[in-house]
Amino acid sequence: ELKVEQNPLFLSMQEGKNYTIYCNYSTTSDRLYWYRQDPGKSLESLFVLLSNGAVKQEGRLMASLDTKARLSTLHITAAVHDLSATYFCAVIQGAQKLVFGQGTRLTINP
Amino acid sequence: DAGVIQSPRHEVTEMGQEVTLRCKPISGHNSLFWYRQTMMRGLELLIYFNNNVPIDDSGMPEDRFSAKMPNASFSTLKIQPSEPRDSAVYFCASKAGRRNTGELFFGEGSRLTVL
């Protein structure tokens, strides 16, 4: 059974700093997704990574995928308070099931 | 596009009562998913449909839970009888056909509290 693990689960950082969230998964997959969730809100799609070596960037966030290592990273550059949220990675199991990691709660302090 | 629409947004009920959650997927999407989110267990897939047909309901906790999709624009998740441990946020999500990226689009969720 596919397991998706994120690290760290909680992250408190200062504005202006850089950090990386890691997402490991246990079985072969070539599709990985990153979502953002604000408190009490829905999940918003951030990135769709569809192949080994894929890299996507949006503003201060950059995601990458290494299917051989079964690892994806979400890198935050020069963090700002607006990026405070919970970030989830999710991996396709079989044809359609999306299995989510535990989420990383990110708090960015002024 | 209106996005995935769920109702009710909040439901407070007493143990033993029947609860029905509703979902309207994005028009043109042919797959629909029901997830449950709790602090303890995170996001769990309960069931998903392709072209209105249930494909995998292995995540449905027990017989008290049932889901239907009578047509392409409507799905329900029913809990009967409800129990306090069912308290959670229930999300509905939809996605386009297989040749798409597989990205799920989520509704705003239905927050259920069972007293």
Side-chain angles (χ1 to χ4, degrees), chain B residues 80-101:
Chain B
Q80 166 63 18
S82 59
E83 297 182 3
R85 59 187 167 136
D86 302 330
S87 298
V89 180
Y90 291 81
F91 286 103
C92 176
S94 70
K95 77 175 183 73
R98 284 197 172 194
R99 293 182 180 176
N100 202 275
T101 61

PDB file of all heavy atoms in Angstrom, chain B residues 80-101:
ATOM      1  N   GLN B  80     -25.735   7.034   8.471  1.00  0.00           N
ATOM      2  CA  GLN B  80     -26.932   6.657   9.201  1.00  0.00           C
ATOM      3  C   GLN B  80     -26.696   5.360   9.964  1.00  0.00           C
ATOM      4  O   GLN B  80     -26.476   4.316   9.332  1.00  0.00           O
ATOM      5  CB  GLN B  80     -28.112   6.487   8.250  1.00  0.00           C
ATOM      6  CG  GLN B  80     -29.336   5.787   8.809  1.00  0.00           C
ATOM      7  CD  GLN B  80     -29.995   6.534   9.965  1.00  0.00           C
ATOM      8  OE1 GLN B  80     -29.767   7.720  10.152  1.00  0.00           O
ATOM      9  NE2 GLN B  80     -30.794   5.832  10.740  1.00  0.00           N
ATOM     10  N   PRO B  81     -26.734   5.367  11.293  1.00  0.00           N
ATOM     11  CA  PRO B  81     -26.844   6.522  12.167  1.00  0.00           C
ATOM     12  C   PRO B  81     -25.494   7.186  12.411  1.00  0.00           C
ATOM     13  O   PRO B  81     -24.457   6.520  12.365  1.00  0.00           O
ATOM     14  CB  PRO B  81     -27.361   5.883  13.460  1.00  0.00           C
ATOM     15  CG  PRO B  81     -26.739   4.520  13.465  1.00  0.00           C
ATOM     16  CD  PRO B  81     -26.675   4.095  12.022  1.00  0.00           C
ATOM     17  N   SER B  82     -25.496   8.461  12.671  1.00  0.00           N
ATOM     18  CA  SER B  82     -24.235   9.169  12.910  1.00  0.00           C
ATOM     19  C   SER B  82     -23.737   8.934  14.340  1.00  0.00           C
ATOM     20  O   SER B  82     -24.528   8.667  15.256  1.00  0.00           O
ATOM     21  CB  SER B  82     -24.408  10.663  12.641  1.00  0.00           C
ATOM     22  OG  SER B  82     -25.416  11.193  13.476  1.00  0.00           O
ATOM     23  N   GLU B  83     -22.419   9.026  14.494  1.00  0.00           N
ATOM     24  CA  GLU B  83     -21.774   8.864  15.796  1.00  0.00           C
ATOM     25  C   GLU B  83     -20.783  10.026  15.993  1.00  0.00           C
ATOM     26  O   GLU B  83     -20.302  10.593  15.005  1.00  0.00           O
ATOM     27  CB  GLU B  83     -21.042   7.525  15.874  1.00  0.00           C
ATOM     28  CG  GLU B  83     -21.956   6.318  15.769  1.00  0.00           C
ATOM     29  CD  GLU B  83     -21.208   5.001  15.901  1.00  0.00           C
ATOM     30  OE1 GLU B  83     -19.980   5.026  16.131  1.00  0.00           O
ATOM     31  OE2 GLU B  83     -21.867   3.942  15.782  1.00  0.00           O
ATOM     32  N   PRO B  84     -20.453  10.325  17.239  1.00  0.00           N
ATOM     33  CA  PRO B  84     -19.515  11.430  17.495  1.00  0.00           C
ATOM     34  C   PRO B  84     -18.187  11.277  16.756  1.00  0.00           C
ATOM     35  O   PRO B  84     -17.594  12.267  16.317  1.00  0.00           O
ATOM     36  CB  PRO B  84     -19.331  11.392  19.017  1.00  0.00           C
ATOM     37  CG  PRO B  84     -20.633  10.867  19.523  1.00  0.00           C
ATOM     38  CD  PRO B  84     -21.064   9.842  18.500  1.00  0.00           C
ATOM     39  N   ARG B  85     -17.713  10.054  16.570  1.00  0.00           N
ATOM     40  CA  ARG B  85     -16.430   9.852  15.894  1.00  0.00           C
ATOM     41  C   ARG B  85     -16.494  10.167  14.397  1.00  0.00           C
ATOM     42  O   ARG B  85     -15.462  10.160  13.721  1.00  0.00           O
ATOM     43  CB  ARG B  85     -15.936   8.421  16.087  1.00  0.00           C
ATOM     44  CG  ARG B  85     -16.887   7.358  15.572  1.00  0.00           C
ATOM     45  CD  ARG B  85     -16.396   5.967  15.947  1.00  0.00           C
ATOM     46  NE  ARG B  85     -17.418   4.950  15.748  1.00  0.00           N
ATOM     47  CZ  ARG B  85     -17.181   3.791  15.191  1.00  0.00           C
ATOM     48  NH1 ARG B  85     -15.973   3.475  14.794  1.00  0.00           N
ATOM     49  NH2 ARG B  85     -18.150   2.900  15.051  1.00  0.00           N
ATOM     50  N   ASP B  86     -17.691  10.413  13.889  1.00  0.00           N
ATOM     51  CA  ASP B  86     -17.836  10.821  12.492  1.00  0.00           C
ATOM     52  C   ASP B  86     -17.570  12.313  12.300  1.00  0.00           C
ATOM     53  O   ASP B  86     -17.530  12.794  11.160  1.00  0.00           O
ATOM     54  CB  ASP B  86     -19.237  10.496  11.975  1.00  0.00           C
ATOM     55  CG  ASP B  86     -19.572   9.024  12.092  1.00  0.00           C
ATOM     56  OD1 ASP B  86     -18.647   8.191  12.010  1.00  0.00           O
ATOM     57  OD2 ASP B  86     -20.765   8.707  12.282  1.00  0.00           O
ATOM     58  N   SER B  87     -17.422  13.027  13.386  1.00  0.00           N
ATOM     59  CA  SER B  87     -17.157  14.467  13.299  1.00  0.00           C
ATOM     60  C   SER B  87     -15.861  14.708  12.530  1.00  0.00           C
ATOM     61  O   SER B  87     -14.802  14.154  12.877  1.00  0.00           O
ATOM     62  CB  SER B  87     -17.053  15.075  14.704  1.00  0.00           C
ATOM     63  OG  SER B  87     -18.276  14.929  15.396  1.00  0.00           O
ATOM     64  N   ALA B  88     -15.957  15.509  11.490  1.00  0.00           N
ATOM     65  CA  ALA B  88     -14.827  15.728  10.590  1.00  0.00           C
ATOM     66  C   ALA B  88     -15.252  16.762   9.549  1.00  0.00           C
ATOM     67  O   ALA B  88     -16.399  17.209   9.526  1.00  0.00           O
ATOM     68  CB  ALA B  88     -14.435  14.427   9.881  1.00  0.00           C
ATOM     69  N   VAL B  89     -14.307  17.107   8.687  1.00  0.00           N
ATOM     70  CA  VAL B  89     -14.643  17.880   7.490  1.00  0.00           C
ATOM     71  C   VAL B  89     -14.644  16.910   6.311  1.00  0.00           C
ATOM     72  O   VAL B  89     -13.676  16.177   6.101  1.00  0.00           O
ATOM     73  CB  VAL B  89     -13.640  19.023   7.231  1.00  0.00           C
ATOM     74  CG1 VAL B  89     -14.047  19.796   5.981  1.00  0.00           C
ATOM     75  CG2 VAL B  89     -13.570  19.954   8.434  1.00  0.00           C
ATOM     76  N   TYR B  90     -15.736  16.921   5.580  1.00  0.00           N
ATOM     77  CA  TYR B  90     -15.883  16.033   4.434  1.00  0.00           C
ATOM     78  C   TYR B  90     -15.734  16.867   3.158  1.00  0.00           C
ATOM     79  O   TYR B  90     -16.477  17.829   2.944  1.00  0.00           O
ATOM     80  CB  TYR B  90     -17.242  15.339   4.475  1.00  0.00           C
ATOM     81  CG  TYR B  90     -17.326  14.343   5.609  1.00  0.00           C
ATOM     82  CD1 TYR B  90     -17.611  14.763   6.912  1.00  0.00           C
ATOM     83  CD2 TYR B  90     -17.094  12.986   5.396  1.00  0.00           C
ATOM     84  CE1 TYR B  90     -17.665  13.853   7.959  1.00  0.00           C
ATOM     85  CE2 TYR B  90     -17.149  12.073   6.439  1.00  0.00           C
ATOM     86  CZ  TYR B  90     -17.425  12.520   7.714  1.00  0.00           C
ATOM     87  OH  TYR B  90     -17.464  11.617   8.765  1.00  0.00           O
ATOM     88  N   PHE B  91     -14.771  16.473   2.350  1.00  0.00           N
ATOM     89  CA  PHE B  91     -14.504  17.181   1.106  1.00  0.00           C
ATOM     90  C   PHE B  91     -14.943  16.332  -0.085  1.00  0.00           C
ATOM     91  O   PHE B  91     -14.726  15.118  -0.122  1.00  0.00           O
ATOM     92  CB  PHE B  91     -13.012  17.486   0.948  1.00  0.00           C
ATOM     93  CG  PHE B  91     -12.502  18.593   1.819  1.00  0.00           C
ATOM     94  CD1 PHE B  91     -11.780  18.316   2.966  1.00  0.00           C
ATOM     95  CD2 PHE B  91     -12.735  19.914   1.469  1.00  0.00           C
ATOM     96  CE1 PHE B  91     -11.300  19.338   3.766  1.00  0.00           C
ATOM     97  CE2 PHE B  91     -12.261  20.944   2.269  1.00  0.00           C
ATOM     98  CZ  PHE B  91     -11.546  20.650   3.422  1.00  0.00           C
ATOM     99  N   CYS B  92     -15.513  17.015  -1.041  1.00  0.00           N
ATOM    100  CA  CYS B  92     -15.799  16.429  -2.336  1.00  0.00           C
ATOM    101  C   CYS B  92     -14.819  17.044  -3.332  1.00  0.00           C
ATOM    102  O   CYS B  92     -14.482  18.227  -3.227  1.00  0.00           O
ATOM    103  CB  CYS B  92     -17.246  16.728  -2.732  1.00  0.00           C
ATOM    104  SG  CYS B  92     -17.710  16.161  -4.372  1.00  0.00           S
ATOM    105  N   ALA B  93     -14.350  16.235  -4.277  1.00  0.00           N
ATOM    106  CA  ALA B  93     -13.430  16.729  -5.293  1.00  0.00           C
ATOM    107  C   ALA B  93     -13.791  16.086  -6.621  1.00  0.00           C
ATOM    108  O   ALA B  93     -14.327  14.972  -6.655  1.00  0.00           O
ATOM    109  CB  ALA B  93     -11.980  16.403  -4.927  1.00  0.00           C
ATOM    110  N   SER B  94     -13.479  16.777  -7.699  1.00  0.00           N
ATOM    111  CA  SER B  94     -13.726  16.199  -9.014  1.00  0.00           C
ATOM    112  C   SER B  94     -12.523  16.422  -9.911  1.00  0.00           C
ATOM    113  O   SER B  94     -11.669  17.280  -9.642  1.00  0.00           O
ATOM    114  CB  SER B  94     -14.992  16.796  -9.648  1.00  0.00           C
ATOM    115  OG  SER B  94     -14.813  18.154 -10.020  1.00  0.00           O
ATOM    116  N   LYS B  95     -12.455  15.614 -10.969  1.00  0.00           N
ATOM    117  CA  LYS B  95     -11.391  15.811 -11.943  1.00  0.00           C
ATOM    118  C   LYS B  95     -11.882  15.409 -13.316  1.00  0.00           C
ATOM    119  O   LYS B  95     -12.862  14.680 -13.471  1.00  0.00           O
ATOM    120  CB  LYS B  95     -10.133  15.030 -11.561  1.00  0.00           C
ATOM    121  CG  LYS B  95     -10.137  13.547 -11.811  1.00  0.00           C
ATOM    122  CD  LYS B  95      -8.771  12.991 -11.475  1.00  0.00           C
ATOM    123  CE  LYS B  95      -8.684  11.508 -11.775  1.00  0.00           C
ATOM    124  NZ  LYS B  95      -8.613  11.235 -13.214  1.00  0.00           N
ATOM    125  N   ALA B  96     -11.156  15.896 -14.307  1.00  0.00           N
ATOM    126  CA  ALA B  96     -11.499  15.631 -15.690  1.00  0.00           C
ATOM    127  C   ALA B  96     -11.039  14.227 -16.071  1.00  0.00           C
ATOM    128  O   ALA B  96     -10.526  13.478 -15.255  1.00  0.00           O
ATOM    129  CB  ALA B  96     -10.872  16.679 -16.598  1.00  0.00           C
ATOM    130  N   GLY B  97     -11.186  13.879 -17.329  1.00  0.00           N
ATOM    131  CA  GLY B  97     -10.909  12.545 -17.816  1.00  0.00           C
ATOM    132  C   GLY B  97      -9.464  12.130 -17.699  1.00  0.00           C
ATOM    133  O   GLY B  97      -8.586  12.889 -17.325  1.00  0.00           O
ATOM    134  N   ARG B  98      -9.195  10.865 -18.018  1.00  0.00           N
ATOM    135  CA  ARG B  98      -7.884  10.265 -17.787  1.00  0.00           C
ATOM    136  C   ARG B  98      -6.763  10.966 -18.517  1.00  0.00           C
ATOM    137  O   ARG B  98      -5.617  10.949 -18.074  1.00  0.00           O
ATOM    138  CB  ARG B  98      -7.909   8.802 -18.216  1.00  0.00           C
ATOM    139  CG  ARG B  98      -8.608   7.898 -17.242  1.00  0.00           C
ATOM    140  CD  ARG B  98      -8.254   6.462 -17.499  1.00  0.00           C
ATOM    141  NE  ARG B  98      -8.764   5.603 -16.466  1.00  0.00           N
ATOM    142  CZ  ARG B  98      -8.383   4.355 -16.286  1.00  0.00           C
ATOM    143  NH1 ARG B  98      -7.485   3.832 -17.078  1.00  0.00           N
ATOM    144  NH2 ARG B  98      -8.882   3.615 -15.333  1.00  0.00           N
ATOM    145  N   ARG B  99      -7.030  11.569 -19.637  1.00  0.00           N
ATOM    146  CA  ARG B  99      -5.960  12.201 -20.396  1.00  0.00           C
ATOM    147  C   ARG B  99      -5.567  13.541 -19.824  1.00  0.00           C
ATOM    148  O   ARG B  99      -4.656  14.189 -20.306  1.00  0.00           O
ATOM    149  CB  ARG B  99      -6.377  12.348 -21.852  1.00  0.00           C
ATOM    150  CG  ARG B  99      -6.505  11.009 -22.547  1.00  0.00           C
ATOM    151  CD  ARG B  99      -6.880  11.162 -23.991  1.00  0.00           C
ATOM    152  NE  ARG B  99      -7.000   9.861 -24.623  1.00  0.00           N
ATOM    153  CZ  ARG B  99      -7.385   9.671 -25.870  1.00  0.00           C
ATOM    154  NH1 ARG B  99      -7.675  10.705 -26.623  1.00  0.00           N
ATOM    155  NH2 ARG B  99      -7.468   8.470 -26.368  1.00  0.00           N
ATOM    156  N   ASN B 100      -6.252  13.948 -18.782  1.00  0.00           N
ATOM    157  CA  ASN B 100      -5.912  15.186 -18.105  1.00  0.00           C
ATOM    158  C   ASN B 100      -4.761  14.925 -17.140  1.00  0.00           C
ATOM    159  O   ASN B 100      -4.252  13.818 -17.039  1.00  0.00           O
ATOM    160  CB  ASN B 100      -7.152  15.695 -17.376  1.00  0.00           C
ATOM    161  CG  ASN B 100      -7.073  17.172 -17.098  1.00  0.00           C
ATOM    162  OD1 ASN B 100      -6.502  17.584 -16.096  1.00  0.00           O
ATOM    163  ND2 ASN B 100      -7.619  17.973 -17.988  1.00  0.00           N
ATOM    164  N   THR B 101      -4.358  15.956 -16.402  1.00  0.00           N
ATOM    165  CA  THR B 101      -3.217  15.822 -15.495  1.00  0.00           C
ATOM    166  C   THR B 101      -3.527  14.998 -14.254  1.00  0.00           C
ATOM    167  O   THR B 101      -2.626  14.635 -13.521  1.00  0.00           O
ATOM    168  CB  THR B 101      -2.731  17.195 -15.036  1.00  0.00           C
ATOM    169  OG1 THR B 101      -3.802  17.843 -14.332  1.00  0.00           O
ATOM    170  CG2 THR B 101      -2.306  18.048 -16.219  1.00  0.00           C
TER     171      THR B 101
END
